[in-house]
Amino acid sequence: MKLEVRLYATLRRYAPDSPNGVITVEVPEDCTVGHLYACLAIPPEEVRLAMVNGISAETDQVLLPENRIGLFPPVGGG
């Protein structure tokens, strides 16, 4: 199935061909949020928050074709 994924801030480096961080990826039907990280070659420790349809999601949540996924890194400041 195809999913649209939005990568924010420093995670955009995992989508170098998409300057706005929006990519479409092909994943298996039973793909979870955690498996999506692997499909995108993003180390899990680099994702602080995964949102599915605007709601925080755990890594074991199964994704559906109509889901909107946003991945956010940890935020630093000072």
Side-chain angles (χ1 to χ4, degrees):
M1 78 178 149
K2 288 186 179 182
L3 295 174
E4 182 179 282
V5 180
R6 295 178 182 269
L7 302 173
Y8 292 94
T10 57
L11 294 179
R12 287 187 178 170
R13 72 178 178 265
Y14 293 99
D17 295 334
S18 177
N20 64 358
V22 179
I23 57 174
T24 301
V25 294
E26 185 74 33
V27 297
E29 291 295 323
D30 58 349
C31 184
T32 63
V33 171
H35 186 234
L36 178 63
Y37 299 167
C39 291
L40 297 173
I42 299 174
E45 63 273 7
E46 290 196 31
V47 180
R48 173 66 176 104
L49 176 65
M51 303 283 286
V52 176
N53 299 326
I55 300 170
S56 179
E58 298 296 324
T59 56
D60 61 349
Q61 180 170 333
V62 176
L63 299 170
L64 302 172
E66 65 272 8
N67 290 154
R68 295 176 325 233
I69 298 104
L71 302 179
F72 299 84
V75 177

